[in-house]
Amino acid sequence: AADGREHVQLGNLVNRTYSNNAIFNYLMYDSYPAIELREFARAGWETPPLYPKLFECDYILLMSGPQERSSEEAQEVATGILTGSLPSFHQAFDLLWQHGVPDGDVAYLYKRR
């Protein structure tokens, strides 16, 4: 884990058929037990407001494009990050990785500074 800690937190703002918390939990179960996955994309998993809770995480995953399977609040937060209208996020997080997916959207992984 990062900085000598036993666990790191990955905040997930993605809820797609091919990319969601259930899939991530399955893939990470044996290989990455030190990663605590937090579900931000679906309503009811984290109590509102959502945005301040991102700053508790070490990493944030989000995706460009339509987010119809995500909660309205998660969609607003993801859009705000991608458009730069949430400058406090970009003061606290750096873009670590981005990857295009077959549907033309892009997955983004941010790391807290």
Side-chain angles (χ1 to χ4, degrees), residues 14-35:
V14 180
N15 186 27
R16 302 272 179 99
T17 304
Y18 56 84
S19 178
N20 58 57
N21 259 42
I23 292 170
F24 290 142
N25 276 323
Y26 175 76
L27 294 173
M28 293 174 11
Y29 182 74
D30 282 331
S31 301
Y32 303 99
I35 298 176

Side-chain angles (χ1 to χ4, degrees), residues 1-3 5-10 33-37 57-59:
D3 304 323
R5 293 177 293 143
E6 290 186 28
H7 292 87
V8 295
Q9 289 188 2
L10 170 61
I35 298 176
E36 178 186 339
L37 189 60
C57 296
D58 302 290
Y59 298 90

